[in-house]
């Protein structure tokens, strides 16, 4: 079996669902291997994200904080997984600016606690199980800082220069993972990915926030002048990249994963508006009339771009979705998932929106 921390969050749940769901034309599950999800269910974790695989006997769930190293070690000893995939994190940059402490706790202390548990477990494994074990750390391109307009894209050798408390906490976790390989020989793999989008993303992030605000007739908030650039990757492509690295990645290596889809934020928002104009037209005019420029994010990174030639060249991975196909699937998913939307946008979500944007949700 495999362990997945943060498997009730956006990317983790997409990964688990893909892992357990039969591919088109196949009757057996794609990888036919049990998954234990370890997640403490913060505001961003939601068991409804796993609803489509809830009845699958290969899905196990433990509500558990990753900072409790002894509890994680007990789970490792009990289930003897061949791999631990570490997605759990505080992941939203704006929240890290308003309250960095949780980011230090989960992203740094939590990763440290997992590494300690994994080191002990790995040390106890016999021959073949020991050789097979992997600790895969899911990280971000934000550790590399911000690019100028004509700088080359981030590669695996770009120096770390994190700018937000979130990015700094992820950079620290990457360094710990690296050190556990170098010092203790823990068989680690690290992936650094660009901005993900797709189904099940919590609507604090740009793409789901704008999609849902548009449908509710609310302003579409764009920080600054909207010219900041991100490199967008459909979540299913990120998941296939992680599976590829798990299977064939070289121990101790890092792999950048990206979509080769650099876009300015304003262009992203206009694409969402155009997609909604086609799928769910407003009574009059385009959703783009709701675009509103708001105060910029403090320390807002200008541009991210990922050079993913290493994973393409060495492991044969490549993204399959274009932004056009991925954004259409995503917008359609939000249009068809009103029960999920209602559930996640109640209570605490409203408090966040009024704190961050100074408006009622
Ligand atoms: P998310 O915020 O949607 O989900 C995080 C999950 O971790 C939630 O289910 C939450 O309950 C769980 N969690 C948080 N703290 C925990 C703790 N102390 N113990 C146990 N569980 C805990 O995040 P996401 O967008 O799915 O990101 C997953 C990973 O991918 C993160 O490590 C993030 O840094 C990385 N990443 C995200 C993106 C992106 O665009 N979203 C891009 C690159 C890398
Ligand atoms: O690059 C990978 C990172 O991508 C991940 O590590 C993070 O976990 C993930 O949250 C994401 O970080 P960003 O800060 O880039 O994503 P976010 O969706 O918050 O913002 C995308 C861009 O849109 C960014 O330039 C800020 C801008 N933005 C965001 C929001 C929420 C707006 O203009 N308005 C908004 O309301």
């Amino acid at each position: 079996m495999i362990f997945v921390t943060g498997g009730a969050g956006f990317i983790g749940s997409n990964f688990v669902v893909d892992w357990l769901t039969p591919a088109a034309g196949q009757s057996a599950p794609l990888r036919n291997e049990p998954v234990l999800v370890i997640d403490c269910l913060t505001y961003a974790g939601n068991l409804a994200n796993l609803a489509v695989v809830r009845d699958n006997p290969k899905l196990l769930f433990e509500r558990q904080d990753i900072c409790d190293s002894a509890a994680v070690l007990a789970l490792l000893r009990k289930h003897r997984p061949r791999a631990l995939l570490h997605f759990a994190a505080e992941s939203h940059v704006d929240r890290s600016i308003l309250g960095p402490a949780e980011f230090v706790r989960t992203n740094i202390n939590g990763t440290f606690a997992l590494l300690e548990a994994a080191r002990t477990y790995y040390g106890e494994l016999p021959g073949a199980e020991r050789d097979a074990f992997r600790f895969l750390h899911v990280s971000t391109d934000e550790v590399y800082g911000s690019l100028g307009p004509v700088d080359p894209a981030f590669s695996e050798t770009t120096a770390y220069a994190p700018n937000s408390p979130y990015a700094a906490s992820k950079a620290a976790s990457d360094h710990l993972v690296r050190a556990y390989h170098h010092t203790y020989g823990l068989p680690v793999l690290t992936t650094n990915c660009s901005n993900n989008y797709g189904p099940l993303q919590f609507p604090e992030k740009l793409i789901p926030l704008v999609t849902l605000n548009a449908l509710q007739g609310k302003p579409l908030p764009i920080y600054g002048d909207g010219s900041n650039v991100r490199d967008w990757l459909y979540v299913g492509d990120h998941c296939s990249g992680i599976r590829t690295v798990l299977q064939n990645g070289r121990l101790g290596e890092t792999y950048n994963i990206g979509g080769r889809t650099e876009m300015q934020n304003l262009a992203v928002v206009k694409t969402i508006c155009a997609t909604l104009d086609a799928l769910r037209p407003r009574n009059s005019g385009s959703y783009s009339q709701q675009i509103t420029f708001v105060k910029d994010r403090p320390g807002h990174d200008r541009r991210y771009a990922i050079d993913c030639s290493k994973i393409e060249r060495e492991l044969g991975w490549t993204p399959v979705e274009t932004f056009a196909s991925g954004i259409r699937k995503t917008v359609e998913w939000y249009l068809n998932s009103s029960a999920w939307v209602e559930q996640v946008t109640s209570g605490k979500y409203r408090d966040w929106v009024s704190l961050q944007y100074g408006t009622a949700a």
Side-chain angles (χ1 to χ4, degrees), residues 177-240:
V177 170
R178 177 191 155 87
Y180 270 62
H181 177 68
H182 191 78
T183 305
Y184 303 115
L186 193 71
V188 306
L189 299 155
T190 296
T191 55
N192 293 86
C193 189
S194 62
N195 284 62
N196 283 216
Y197 67 100
L200 300 167
Q201 188 168 30
F202 192 76
E204 63 189 355
K205 309 282 166 66
L206 180 71
I207 287 180
L209 180 97
V210 161
T211 305
L212 297 180
N213 276 17
L215 290 167
Q216 291 162 12
K218 292 178 183 160
L220 312 182
I222 297 198
Y223 297 162
D225 63 2
S227 65
N228 298 66
V229 172
R230 296 292 182 264
D231 175 352
W232 293 96
L233 181 71
Y234 188 71
V235 64
D237 283 326
H238 186 188
C239 294
S240 77

Side-chain angles (χ1 to χ4, degrees), residues 5-13 38-46 49 64-67 86-92 102 105-107 110 137-142 166 170 191-197 200-202 204-205 232-233 238 242 257:
T5 73
F10 162 50
I11 304 172
S13 63
I38 297 178
D39 198 303
C40 71
L41 301 180
T42 66
Y43 77 93
N46 184 355
N49 291 356
Q64 179 60 59
D65 191 324
I66 57 162
C67 296
H86 177 31
F87 295 79
E90 289 293 334
S91 70
H92 190 36
E102 271 307 296
R105 195 186 89 84
T106 285
N107 299 359
H137 177 56
V138 178
S139 193
T140 171
D141 61 359
E142 299 204 11
Y166 162 70
K170 291 296 290 188
T191 55
N192 293 86
C193 189
S194 62
N195 284 62
N196 283 216
Y197 67 100
L200 300 167
Q201 188 168 30
F202 192 76
E204 63 189 355
K205 309 282 166 66
W232 293 96
L233 181 71
H238 186 188
I242 290 170
I257 305 180

Side-chain angles (χ1 to χ4, degrees), residues 76-93:
L76 287 165
R77 284 176 170 151
K78 179 175 172 196
H79 295 282
R80 301 179 77 84
R82 68 163 175 108
L84 188 158
L85 285 77
H86 177 31
F87 295 79
E90 289 293 334
S91 70
H92 190 36
V93 173

Side-chain angles (χ1 to χ4, degrees), residues 61-130:
F61 177 77
E62 285 285 342
R63 186 168 191 174
Q64 179 60 59
D65 191 324
I66 57 162
C67 296
D68 186 341
S69 193
V72 174
L73 178 58
L75 290 170
L76 287 165
R77 284 176 170 151
K78 179 175 172 196
H79 295 282
R80 301 179 77 84
R82 68 163 175 108
L84 188 158
L85 285 77
H86 177 31
F87 295 79
E90 289 293 334
S91 70
H92 190 36
V93 173
D94 293 322
R95 286 185 193 256
S96 83
I97 294 167
L98 286 173
E102 271 307 296
F103 288 71
V104 170
R105 195 186 89 84
T106 285
N107 299 359
I108 304 179
N109 296 339
T111 302
F112 169 63
L114 277 186
L115 285 164
E116 276 293 282
R119 176 162 81 96
T120 303
Y121 169 67
Y122 177 66
E124 294 168 354
L125 286 175
E129 275 182 85
R130 191 179 158 88

Side-chain angles (χ1 to χ4, degrees), residues 263-279:
M263 288 177 76
Q264 294 194 335
N265 292 338
L266 187 56
V268 169
V269 172
K270 285 185 172 166
T271 306
I272 296 168
C273 291
T275 309
L276 283 169
D277 288 339
L279 294 173

